[in-house]
Amino acid sequence: MAMDIVVSAKTGRVPVTIIHVKGSVDTSTYEAFQASGEEAFNSGARHVLIDMTEVSYITSAGFRAISQIFKLLRGNLTAKDSAMMSQGLRDGSYKSPNLKLLNPNDRVVEALKLAGFDTFLEIFYDMDEAIKSFE
């Protein structure tokens, strides 16, 4: 199944790059999805919202792409910040300040939970609330 990606931007407290994904994120499409995140990062994006409103399903390949985007956005953390993030990931208290998700359907949410991504990525169902959450 085909996938379309459109990138836009909105400004809340900080500029937010929105990656609108339409279709399935799987082994045949994850590279384009990951490339859109890398391109956004290389263009200066530091706060990214992945709009999953029109994502029908996601496979482990899609999770690898999200993980790569997450790794890019967390940047060069100090040793202290890195230790705090690692501890927070272990105890479930860490939420990414740089990468968030918007409007995944029930099927995608279930996959996110099974993969553990819901423990460190915030999920929003309102664009304005998502944009406001970035600091």
Side-chain angles (χ1 to χ4, degrees):
M1 183 176 206
M3 179 185 65
D4 292 319
I5 298 172
V6 174
V7 178
S8 66
K10 281 195 171 190
T11 300
R13 292 182 187 111
V14 296
V16 178
T17 300
I18 306 162
I19 300 174
H20 306 269
V21 184
K22 182 178 181 179
S24 300
V25 185
D26 56 29
T27 55
S28 64
T29 60
Y30 82 95
E31 289 173 324
F33 173 50
Q34 183 174 321
S36 69
E38 291 169 353
E39 186 175 311
F41 177 80
N42 291 335
S43 296
R46 295 301 178 262
H47 300 92
V48 174
L49 178 64
I50 300 174
D51 181 356
M52 304 182 91
T53 302
E54 297 187 66
V55 172
S56 51
Y57 70 90
I58 187 168
T59 66
S60 61
F63 291 126
R64 282 193 305 274
I66 291 173
S67 180
Q68 285 302 113
I69 295 167
F70 169 74
K71 286 177 185 176
L72 278 174
L73 290 170
R74 73 179 186 208
N76 297 322
L77 296 176
T78 65
K80 181 181 176 183
D81 287 343
S82 183
M84 287 175 57
M85 182 187 74
S86 293
Q87 180 60 43
L89 287 170
R90 282 191 298 277
D91 67 22
S93 65
Y94 179 81
K95 293 294 184 191
S96 173
N98 304 93
L99 180 64
K100 302 177 186 214
L101 307 176
L102 179 67
N103 286 328
N105 67 37
D106 290 343
R107 184 176 181 184
V108 172
V109 168
E110 187 61 32
L112 288 163
K113 287 180 179 180
L114 287 171
F117 280 63
D118 66 318
T119 62
F120 66 95
L121 294 178
E122 288 183 273
I123 299 172
F124 290 87
Y125 293 92
D126 178 88
M127 173 83 69
D128 291 334
E129 289 300 313
I131 298 297
K132 288 177 192 175
S133 74
F134 287 96
E135 295 182 14

mmCIF file with all atom_site columns, all heavy atoms in Angstrom, residues 1 8-9 23 35 50 54 66 72 76-77 81 96 113 126 132 135:
data_model
loop_
_atom_site.group_PDB
_atom_site.id
_atom_site.type_symbol
_atom_site.label_atom_id
_atom_site.label_alt_id
_atom_site.label_comp_id
_atom_site.label_asym_id
_atom_site.label_entity_id
_atom_site.label_seq_id
_atom_site.pdbx_PDB_ins_code
_atom_site.Cartn_x
_atom_site.Cartn_y
_atom_site.Cartn_z
_atom_site.occupancy
_atom_site.B_iso_or_equiv
_atom_site.pdbx_formal_charge
_atom_site.auth_seq_id
_atom_site.auth_comp_id
_atom_site.auth_asym_id
_atom_site.auth_atom_id
_atom_site.pdbx_PDB_model_num
ATOM 1   N N   . MET A 1 1   ? 0.843  -1.189 0.000  1.00 0.00 ? 1   MET A N   1
ATOM 2   C CA  . MET A 1 1   ? 0.000  0.000  0.000  1.00 0.00 ? 1   MET A CA  1
ATOM 3   C C   . MET A 1 1   ? 0.882  1.245  0.000  1.00 0.00 ? 1   MET A C   1
ATOM 4   O O   . MET A 1 1   ? 1.904  1.296  0.656  1.00 0.00 ? 1   MET A O   1
ATOM 5   C CB  . MET A 1 1   ? -0.901 -0.026 1.229  1.00 0.00 ? 1   MET A CB  1
ATOM 6   C CG  . MET A 1 1   ? -1.857 1.113  1.288  1.00 0.00 ? 1   MET A CG  1
ATOM 7   S SD  . MET A 1 1   ? -2.966 0.937  2.699  1.00 0.00 ? 1   MET A SD  1
ATOM 8   C CE  . MET A 1 1   ? -4.328 1.866  2.092  1.00 0.00 ? 1   MET A CE  1
ATOM 9   N N   . SER A 1 8   ? 4.571  20.113 7.299  1.00 0.00 ? 8   SER A N   1
ATOM 10  C CA  . SER A 1 8   ? 4.153  21.497 7.501  1.00 0.00 ? 8   SER A CA  1
ATOM 11  C C   . SER A 1 8   ? 4.735  21.977 8.827  1.00 0.00 ? 8   SER A C   1
ATOM 12  O O   . SER A 1 8   ? 5.419  21.230 9.513  1.00 0.00 ? 8   SER A O   1
ATOM 13  C CB  . SER A 1 8   ? 2.625  21.611 7.502  1.00 0.00 ? 8   SER A CB  1
ATOM 14  O OG  . SER A 1 8   ? 2.063  20.942 8.607  1.00 0.00 ? 8   SER A OG  1
ATOM 15  N N   . ALA A 1 9   ? 4.449  23.219 9.161  1.00 0.00 ? 9   ALA A N   1
ATOM 16  C CA  . ALA A 1 9   ? 4.964  23.780 10.415 1.00 0.00 ? 9   ALA A CA  1
ATOM 17  C C   . ALA A 1 9   ? 3.904  24.656 11.057 1.00 0.00 ? 9   ALA A C   1
ATOM 18  O O   . ALA A 1 9   ? 3.092  25.277 10.374 1.00 0.00 ? 9   ALA A O   1
ATOM 19  C CB  . ALA A 1 9   ? 6.228  24.584 10.158 1.00 0.00 ? 9   ALA A CB  1
ATOM 20  N N   . GLY A 1 23  ? -1.509 6.549  4.952  1.00 0.00 ? 23  GLY A N   1
ATOM 21  C CA  . GLY A 1 23  ? -1.299 5.195  4.437  1.00 0.00 ? 23  GLY A CA  1
ATOM 22  C C   . GLY A 1 23  ? -0.717 4.300  5.512  1.00 0.00 ? 23  GLY A C   1
ATOM 23  O O   . GLY A 1 23  ? -0.858 4.541  6.705  1.00 0.00 ? 23  GLY A O   1
ATOM 24  N N   . ALA A 1 35  ? 13.167 9.068  6.278  1.00 0.00 ? 35  ALA A N   1
ATOM 25  C CA  . ALA A 1 35  ? 13.868 10.129 5.543  1.00 0.00 ? 35  ALA A CA  1
ATOM 26  C C   . ALA A 1 35  ? 13.191 11.479 5.755  1.00 0.00 ? 35  ALA A C   1
ATOM 27  O O   . ALA A 1 35  ? 13.870 12.508 5.856  1.00 0.00 ? 35  ALA A O   1
ATOM 28  C CB  . ALA A 1 35  ? 13.942 9.791  4.055  1.00 0.00 ? 35  ALA A CB  1
ATOM 29  N N   . ILE A 1 50  ? 4.217  13.889 14.797 1.00 0.00 ? 50  ILE A N   1
ATOM 30  C CA  . ILE A 1 50  ? 3.867  12.970 13.717 1.00 0.00 ? 50  ILE A CA  1
ATOM 31  C C   . ILE A 1 50  ? 2.351  12.823 13.721 1.00 0.00 ? 50  ILE A C   1
ATOM 32  O O   . ILE A 1 50  ? 1.768  12.279 14.661 1.00 0.00 ? 50  ILE A O   1
ATOM 33  C CB  . ILE A 1 50  ? 4.550  11.602 13.879 1.00 0.00 ? 50  ILE A CB  1
ATOM 34  C CG1 . ILE A 1 50  ? 6.074  11.774 13.868 1.00 0.00 ? 50  ILE A CG1 1
ATOM 35  C CG2 . ILE A 1 50  ? 4.099  10.655 12.763 1.00 0.00 ? 50  ILE A CG2 1
ATOM 36  C CD1 . ILE A 1 50  ? 6.850  10.507 14.171 1.00 0.00 ? 50  ILE A CD1 1
ATOM 37  N N   . GLU A 1 54  ? -4.211 9.618  9.388  1.00 0.00 ? 54  GLU A N   1
ATOM 38  C CA  . GLU A 1 54  ? -4.545 8.784  8.235  1.00 0.00 ? 54  GLU A CA  1
ATOM 39  C C   . GLU A 1 54  ? -3.603 7.591  8.067  1.00 0.00 ? 54  GLU A C   1
ATOM 40  O O   . GLU A 1 54  ? -3.459 7.055  6.979  1.00 0.00 ? 54  GLU A O   1
ATOM 41  C CB  . GLU A 1 54  ? -4.560 9.644  6.972  1.00 0.00 ? 54  GLU A CB  1
ATOM 42  C CG  . GLU A 1 54  ? -5.636 10.717 7.035  1.00 0.00 ? 54  GLU A CG  1
ATOM 43  C CD  . GLU A 1 54  ? -5.784 11.475 5.736  1.00 0.00 ? 54  GLU A CD  1
ATOM 44  O OE1 . GLU A 1 54  ? -6.192 10.857 4.738  1.00 0.00 ? 54  GLU A OE1 1
ATOM 45  O OE2 . GLU A 1 54  ? -5.468 12.682 5.723  1.00 0.00 ? 54  GLU A OE2 1
ATOM 46  N N   . ILE A 1 66  ? 10.420 5.542  13.669 1.00 0.00 ? 66  ILE A N   1
ATOM 47  C CA  . ILE A 1 66  ? 10.093 6.461  14.764 1.00 0.00 ? 66  ILE A CA  1
ATOM 48  C C   . ILE A 1 66  ? 11.247 6.502  15.754 1.00 0.00 ? 66  ILE A C   1
ATOM 49  O O   . ILE A 1 66  ? 11.635 7.573  16.235 1.00 0.00 ? 66  ILE A O   1
ATOM 50  C CB  . ILE A 1 66  ? 8.777  6.061  15.463 1.00 0.00 ? 66  ILE A CB  1
ATOM 51  C CG1 . ILE A 1 66  ? 7.588  6.305  14.533 1.00 0.00 ? 66  ILE A CG1 1
ATOM 52  C CG2 . ILE A 1 66  ? 8.594  6.840  16.772 1.00 0.00 ? 66  ILE A CG2 1
ATOM 53  C CD1 . ILE A 1 66  ? 6.263  5.788  15.057 1.00 0.00 ? 66  ILE A CD1 1
ATOM 54  N N   . LEU A 1 72  ? 17.494 11.061 16.743 1.00 0.00 ? 72  LEU A N   1
ATOM 55  C CA  . LEU A 1 72  ? 17.998 12.316 16.173 1.00 0.00 ? 72  LEU A CA  1
ATOM 56  C C   . LEU A 1 72  ? 17.590 13.511 17.026 1.00 0.00 ? 72  LEU A C   1
ATOM 57  O O   . LEU A 1 72  ? 18.404 14.381 17.328 1.00 0.00 ? 72  LEU A O   1
ATOM 58  C CB  . LEU A 1 72  ? 17.441 12.529 14.762 1.00 0.00 ? 72  LEU A CB  1
ATOM 59  C CG  . LEU A 1 72  ? 18.113 11.836 13.612 1.00 0.00 ? 72  LEU A CG  1
ATOM 60  C CD1 . LEU A 1 72  ? 17.303 12.069 12.334 1.00 0.00 ? 72  LEU A CD1 1
ATOM 61  C CD2 . LEU A 1 72  ? 19.537 12.318 13.431 1.00 0.00 ? 72  LEU A CD2 1
ATOM 62  N N   . ASN A 1 76  ? 22.411 15.833 21.285 1.00 0.00 ? 76  ASN A N   1
ATOM 63  C CA  . ASN A 1 76  ? 23.613 15.633 22.090 1.00 0.00 ? 76  ASN A CA  1
ATOM 64  C C   . ASN A 1 76  ? 23.318 16.027 23.526 1.00 0.00 ? 76  ASN A C   1
ATOM 65  O O   . ASN A 1 76  ? 23.541 17.152 23.936 1.00 0.00 ? 76  ASN A O   1
ATOM 66  C CB  . ASN A 1 76  ? 24.773 16.472 21.537 1.00 0.00 ? 76  ASN A CB  1
ATOM 67  C CG  . ASN A 1 76  ? 25.154 16.055 20.150 1.00 0.00 ? 76  ASN A CG  1
ATOM 68  O OD1 . ASN A 1 76  ? 25.141 14.871 19.838 1.00 0.00 ? 76  ASN A OD1 1
ATOM 69  N ND2 . ASN A 1 76  ? 25.490 17.013 19.310 1.00 0.00 ? 76  ASN A ND2 1
ATOM 70  N N   . LEU A 1 77  ? 22.825 15.081 24.277 1.00 0.00 ? 77  LEU A N   1
ATOM 71  C CA  . LEU A 1 77  ? 22.509 15.343 25.676 1.00 0.00 ? 77  LEU A CA  1
ATOM 72  C C   . LEU A 1 77  ? 23.779 15.365 26.514 1.00 0.00 ? 77  LEU A C   1
ATOM 73  O O   . LEU A 1 77  ? 24.742 14.659 26.223 1.00 0.00 ? 77  LEU A O   1
ATOM 74  C CB  . LEU A 1 77  ? 21.582 14.248 26.220 1.00 0.00 ? 77  LEU A CB  1
ATOM 75  C CG  . LEU A 1 77  ? 20.203 14.131 25.603 1.00 0.00 ? 77  LEU A CG  1
ATOM 76  C CD1 . LEU A 1 77  ? 19.476 12.929 26.191 1.00 0.00 ? 77  LEU A CD1 1
ATOM 77  C CD2 . LEU A 1 77  ? 19.403 15.393 25.837 1.00 0.00 ? 77  LEU A CD2 1
ATOM 78  N N   . ASP A 1 81  ? 21.873 14.792 31.631 1.00 0.00 ? 81  ASP A N   1
ATOM 79  C CA  . ASP A 1 81  ? 20.566 14.675 30.977 1.00 0.00 ? 81  ASP A CA  1
ATOM 80  C C   . ASP A 1 81  ? 20.367 13.284 30.393 1.00 0.00 ? 81  ASP A C   1
ATOM 81  O O   . ASP A 1 81  ? 19.268 12.733 30.431 1.00 0.00 ? 81  ASP A O   1
ATOM 82  C CB  . ASP A 1 81  ? 20.407 15.727 29.890 1.00 0.00 ? 81  ASP A CB  1
ATOM 83  C CG  . ASP A 1 81  ? 20.194 17.127 30.450 1.00 0.00 ? 81  ASP A CG  1
ATOM 84  O OD1 . ASP A 1 81  ? 19.849 17.247 31.643 1.00 0.00 ? 81  ASP A OD1 1
ATOM 85  O OD2 . ASP A 1 81  ? 20.372 18.098 29.695 1.00 0.00 ? 81  ASP A OD2 1
ATOM 86  N N   . SER A 1 96  ? 9.161  12.201 25.845 1.00 0.00 ? 96  SER A N   1
ATOM 87  C CA  . SER A 1 96  ? 9.990  12.964 24.922 1.00 0.00 ? 96  SER A CA  1
ATOM 88  C C   . SER A 1 96  ? 9.477  14.395 24.793 1.00 0.00 ? 96  SER A C   1
ATOM 89  O O   . SER A 1 96  ? 8.302  14.604 24.482 1.00 0.00 ? 96  SER A O   1
ATOM 90  C CB  . SER A 1 96  ? 9.998  12.314 23.542 1.00 0.00 ? 96  SER A CB  1
ATOM 91  O OG  . SER A 1 96  ? 10.683 13.150 22.628 1.00 0.00 ? 96  SER A OG  1
ATOM 92  N N   . LYS A 1 113 ? 1.376  0.545  22.040 1.00 0.00 ? 113 LYS A N   1
ATOM 93  C CA  . LYS A 1 113 ? 1.435  0.031  23.409 1.00 0.00 ? 113 LYS A CA  1
ATOM 94  C C   . LYS A 1 113 ? 2.214  -1.273 23.470 1.00 0.00 ? 113 LYS A C   1
ATOM 95  O O   . LYS A 1 113 ? 3.039  -1.470 24.369 1.00 0.00 ? 113 LYS A O   1
ATOM 96  C CB  . LYS A 1 113 ? 0.017  -0.157 23.969 1.00 0.00 ? 113 LYS A CB  1
ATOM 97  C CG  . LYS A 1 113 ? -0.662 1.150  24.294 1.00 0.00 ? 113 LYS A CG  1
ATOM 98  C CD  . LYS A 1 113 ? -2.057 0.927  24.847 1.00 0.00 ? 113 LYS A CD  1
ATOM 99  C CE  . LYS A 1 113 ? -2.699 2.262  25.184 1.00 0.00 ? 113 LYS A CE  1
ATOM 100 N NZ  . LYS A 1 113 ? -4.047 2.096  25.724 1.00 0.00 ? 113 LYS A NZ  1
ATOM 101 N N   . ASP A 1 126 ? -5.760 16.240 19.745 1.00 0.00 ? 126 ASP A N   1
ATOM 102 C CA  . ASP A 1 126 ? -6.117 17.597 19.362 1.00 0.00 ? 126 ASP A CA  1
ATOM 103 C C   . ASP A 1 126 ? -4.840 18.307 18.924 1.00 0.00 ? 126 ASP A C   1
ATOM 104 O O   . ASP A 1 126 ? -3.877 18.390 19.706 1.00 0.00 ? 126 ASP A O   1
ATOM 105 C CB  . ASP A 1 126 ? -6.757 18.309 20.556 1.00 0.00 ? 126 ASP A CB  1
ATOM 106 C CG  . ASP A 1 126 ? -7.109 19.749 20.244 1.00 0.00 ? 126 ASP A CG  1
ATOM 107 O OD1 . ASP A 1 126 ? -8.229 19.980 19.751 1.00 0.00 ? 126 ASP A OD1 1
ATOM 108 O OD2 . ASP A 1 126 ? -6.257 20.635 20.495 1.00 0.00 ? 126 ASP A OD2 1
ATOM 109 N N   . LYS A 1 132 ? 0.756  23.127 21.668 1.00 0.00 ? 132 LYS A N   1
ATOM 110 C CA  . LYS A 1 132 ? 0.999  23.836 22.922 1.00 0.00 ? 132 LYS A CA  1
ATOM 111 C C   . LYS A 1 132 ? 1.890  23.059 23.887 1.00 0.00 ? 132 LYS A C   1
ATOM 112 O O   . LYS A 1 132 ? 2.524  23.644 24.755 1.00 0.00 ? 132 LYS A O   1
ATOM 113 C CB  . LYS A 1 132 ? -0.334 24.133 23.629 1.00 0.00 ? 132 LYS A CB  1
ATOM 114 C CG  . LYS A 1 132 ? -1.163 25.200 22.979 1.00 0.00 ? 132 LYS A CG  1
ATOM 115 C CD  . LYS A 1 132 ? -2.474 25.355 23.732 1.00 0.00 ? 132 LYS A CD  1
ATOM 116 C CE  . LYS A 1 132 ? -3.457 26.202 22.974 1.00 0.00 ? 132 LYS A CE  1
ATOM 117 N NZ  . LYS A 1 132 ? -4.767 26.252 23.648 1.00 0.00 ? 132 LYS A NZ  1
ATOM 118 N N   . GLU A 1 135 ? 7.758  22.694 24.423 1.00 0.00 ? 135 GLU A N   1
ATOM 119 C CA  . GLU A 1 135 ? 8.373  23.845 25.108 1.00 0.00 ? 135 GLU A CA  1
ATOM 120 C C   . GLU A 1 135 ? 9.771  24.070 24.600 1.00 0.00 ? 135 GLU A C   1
ATOM 121 O O   . GLU A 1 135 ? 10.482 23.193 24.273 1.00 0.00 ? 135 GLU A O   1
ATOM 122 C CB  . GLU A 1 135 ? 8.405  23.603 26.616 1.00 0.00 ? 135 GLU A CB  1
ATOM 123 C CG  . GLU A 1 135 ? 7.023  23.542 27.190 1.00 0.00 ? 135 GLU A CG  1
ATOM 124 C CD  . GLU A 1 135 ? 7.054  23.342 28.696 1.00 0.00 ? 135 GLU A CD  1
ATOM 125 O OE1 . GLU A 1 135 ? 8.101  23.512 29.330 1.00 0.00 ? 135 GLU A OE1 1
ATOM 126 O OE2 . GLU A 1 135 ? 6.000  23.023 29.242 1.00 0.00 ? 135 GLU A OE2 1
#
